[in-house]
Amino acid sequence: MAEKQSAKLILPGGKESSLPVIVGTEDEHAVDIRSLRQETGYITLDSGYMNTGATTSAITYLDGEQGILRYRGYPIEELAEKSDFVETSYLLINGKLPTKDERKTFSTALTRHSLIHEDMQHFFHGYPPTSHPMAVLSAMVTSLSAYYPDSLDRNSAIDLHITRILSKVRTIAAFAYKKSIGQPIMYPKNSLKYCANFLHMMFAVPSEEYVVSPVLERAVNQLLILHADHEQNCSTSTVRMVGSSGANLYASVAAGILALWGPLHGGANQAVIEMLEEIKTSGADYKKFLEDVKNKRDNRRLMGFGHRVYKNFDPRAKILKKMCDEVLSHLGVKDPLLDIAKSMEEIALKDDYFVSKKLYPNVDFYSGIIYRALGIPTNMFTVMFALGRLPGWIAHWKEMVEDPQTKIGRPRQIYTGEKVRHYVPIDER
Ligand code: CMC
């Protein structure tokens, strides 16, 4: 990170401020305004953080104009094709690909920590069967900090908590699903790899032998890799913000899960399928739906389209579209929702409304159709996103706590309320 140049800001009244310019390894430039208020009394205002860097980070590089996404320097396309989720998680968290020995140690630790405390199972029974699994997941992840109270001490073994959370969230996610459909939970099987074990806990039943399909296992690996990190998005920023107060890893990740749940973020994968279902049920008039979106009727949006940072194709969506065709054809699934989605995409990519606003399919447009084909129910889609994003949240939390420059996240504001006024007793008002 270079810091050689500076920028000059001229404020009303002619007062000047010289601000350092920071340059990242990919030649990204930032004006460092940290000293601005102290020197001039001015703050900067940027609602929605449209143009504000909250941190420097060495984890993920994203160029929204070029459609580039790299984890620790490795292109997402290469990782999705050649790596698996455990290796990619190691890479994100530790900054390098593991050697064979490191990989073995990491995998063994993940296997060892896959159970949750038996008492935690009672919690699942307390939820109504209609509970959204994201509500259950976030509560359970917070509860982990009650079972590992040493996590409250910032100096406790971070690596152990990282392994625990990475392994146990998978178990909790599958248990939440089993609870929601009224089936007995399936314990993890130590002989299975991370994603195969997840599928086993989701789909096995005690009365039958369940053999994990290698096609499903590969697809889940790829889906999770594609979701594994996306730099300072809403949920990751939340994890960093909560963690900056000194909150433990479990609490910080639970907050990230809740931020992910919203339909503008990770909840979009569920919203896409609900949108496509609605179009299909009402006669598959997707052209009319697109017209309604363009006219902003009832504030409709084409879910799964648009992104704050991608102003070109989302590279993850490209991979997912191809994967969607491959997985569905391999499983022999014919999904009318895929036909509707493709037709809508074709029209939108030529339509001036979407073209002029640079709205392209994002990661959520096709992922739901793949999850459906894999037999994962719609209300579990965002849980899948959370499972995938977990190593990213962990990597950012770790980077933040290990950075001596970290300060508590505390934005400022411009106050627009009443000027001072004085209290009048109720009888005199
Ligand atoms: N359909 C129709 N119009 C849209 C859409 C959309 N999906 N997305 C943005 N627009 C319009 C929006 O109405 C606005 O128009 P105008 O300038 O006329 O007011 C303009 O494009 C800019 O939109 P914005 O909401 O100011 O853009 P943003 O950067 O704040 O929002 C977004 C980004 C992802 C929230 C938004 O594109 C959206 O709501 N997309 C649909 C939900 C979705 O798919 N979310 C998943 C994102 S990918 C997963 C993740 O990383 O979170």
Side-chain angles (χ1 to χ4, degrees):
M1 194 176 68
E3 196 188 308
K4 291 187 196 117
Q5 305 154 302
S6 65
K8 193 187 283 179
L9 181 67
I10 305 170
L11 295 159
K15 188 167 182 182
E16 288 186 7
S17 178
S18 177
L19 299 162
V21 168
I22 293 186
V23 185
T25 44
E26 290 286 347
D27 209 30
E28 291 176 300
H29 287 61
V31 178
D32 181 348
I33 49 96
R34 276 174 289 188
S35 63
L36 185 65
R37 185 171 181 278
Q38 215 176 353
E39 285 175 12
T40 66
Y42 279 71
I43 65 159
T44 54
L45 182 62
D46 182 19
S47 307
Y49 309 113
M50 304 278 287
N51 196 42
T52 293
T55 184
T56 57
S57 176
I59 300 170
T60 285
Y61 174 65
L62 199 169
D63 181 333
E65 273 74 34
Q66 305 292 325
I68 293 172
L69 176 62
R70 295 181 201 137
Y71 299 160
R72 300 284 189 184
Y74 295 97
I76 188 68
E77 295 80 4
E78 286 179 31
L79 292 170
E81 192 193 328
K82 298 177 185 158
S83 183
D84 64 24
F85 181 61
V86 168
E87 185 183 56
T88 299
S89 300
Y90 185 99
L91 168 71
L92 282 166
I93 295 165
N94 298 295
K96 66 184 235 344
L97 287 168
T99 61
K100 271 191 186 156
D101 283 351
E102 287 164 339
R103 163 73 204 232
K104 197 160 173 246
T105 309
F106 189 53
S107 295
T108 307
L110 288 175
T111 303
R112 288 236 170 90
H113 290 284
S114 59
L115 283 171
I116 55 169
H117 195 290
E118 281 291 296
D119 290 353
M120 275 186 80
Q121 280 186 41
H122 299 303
F123 299 173
F124 289 95
H125 301 305
Y127 286 95
T130 49
S131 308
H132 197 289
M134 284 295 275
V136 180
L137 182 69
S138 56
M140 292 292 165
V141 172
T142 308
S143 303
L144 286 175
S145 51
Y147 284 87
Y148 303 105
D150 56 320
S151 64
L152 308 188
D153 173 4
R154 269 291 176 89
N155 299 317
S156 68
I158 285 185
D159 288 346
L160 183 58
H161 294 301
I162 288 176
T163 318
R164 277 189 183 133
I165 197 167
L166 203 50
S167 189
K168 291 179 197 304
V169 166
R170 168 191 53 167
T171 308
I172 293 170
F175 282 14
Y177 169 60
K178 285 292 197 193
K179 157 75 192 156
S180 75
I181 56 167
Q183 281 187 5
I185 55 151
M186 293 299 292
Y187 284 103
K189 245 187 179 176
N190 283 2
S191 57
L192 295 174
K193 289 185 171 176
Y194 190 96
C195 292
N197 214 347
F198 174 68
L199 287 166
H200 156 78
M201 288 188 274
M202 286 279 292
F203 298 122
V205 284
S207 46
E208 277 173 22
E209 182 66 18
Y210 176 77
V211 180
V212 179
S213 143
V215 177
L216 261 69
E217 185 181 353
R218 181 77 203 120
V220 171
N221 265 296
Q222 281 191 312
L223 282 158
L224 298 188
I225 290 171
L226 292 176
H227 288 84
D229 193 42
H230 215 232
E231 49 116 304
Q232 310 307 318
N233 55 85
C234 177
S235 55
T236 304
S237 306
T238 301
V239 170
R240 290 187 88 119
M241 174 70 100
V242 172
S244 77
S245 73
N248 67 74
L249 177 63
Y250 305 104
S252 306
V253 166
I257 291 171
L258 291 170
L260 184 77
W261 194 0
L264 299 187
H265 191 12
N269 54 17
Q270 175 171 344
V272 168
I273 292 298
E274 286 165 355
M275 172 189 78
L276 295 172
E277 289 275 17
E278 186 196 318
I279 295 170
K280 185 176 142 246
T281 319
S282 62
D285 194 350
Y286 54 83
K287 289 185 183 157
K288 160 128 188 359
F289 187 91
L290 286 173
E291 284 309 310
D292 287 349
V293 167
K294 283 159 56 179
N295 294 325
K296 299 193 190 314
R297 203 178 132 219
D298 303 329
N299 290 322
R300 278 208 163 146
R301 288 198 165 194
L302 176 52
M303 300 309 283
F305 257 66
H307 202 277
R308 170 63 61 78
V309 286
Y310 289 122
K311 299 302 167 198
N312 193 327
F313 241 88
D314 179 339
R316 304 167 301 174
K318 268 191 193 168
I319 302 170
L320 280 165
K321 188 177 177 188
K322 192 163 160 264
M323 200 182 147
C324 194
D325 281 330
E326 285 166 7
V327 171
L328 266 66
S329 105
H330 190 94
L331 297 174
V333 173
K334 212 162 153 22
D335 190 340
L337 298 194
L338 178 61
D339 299 332
I340 297 176
K342 281 187 172 172
S343 306
M344 289 175 94
E345 181 192 341
E346 203 183 321
I347 295 180
L349 291 180
K350 289 187 203 133
D351 187 291
D352 188 53
Y353 175 93
F354 297 94
V355 174
S356 63
K357 293 181 193 297
K358 301 191 173 157
L359 301 172
Y360 293 89
N362 59 48
V363 71
D364 293 314
F365 197 63
Y366 286 107
S367 59
I369 296 174
I370 307 178
Y371 291 137
R372 264 162 69 95
L374 300 182
I376 294 169
T378 313
N379 68 356
M380 279 293 287
F381 291 179
T382 314
V383 171
M384 296 302 294
F385 196 148
L387 194 54
R389 185 55 53 89
L390 193 54
W393 290 331
I394 295 169
H396 282 272
W397 186 88
K398 184 168 186 275
E399 182 175 67
M400 183 206 56
V401 297
E402 288 175 352
D403 180 355
Q405 303 235 0
T406 294
K407 284 185 176 292
I408 186 167
R410 204 308 184 181
R412 290 195 176 257
Q413 64 163 19
I414 295 292
Y415 175 68
T416 56
E418 298 285 346
K419 283 193 180 277
V420 68
R421 44 186 175 166
H422 296 288
Y423 182 79
V424 179
I426 195 158
D427 297 339
E428 296 169 29
R429 279 177 225 158

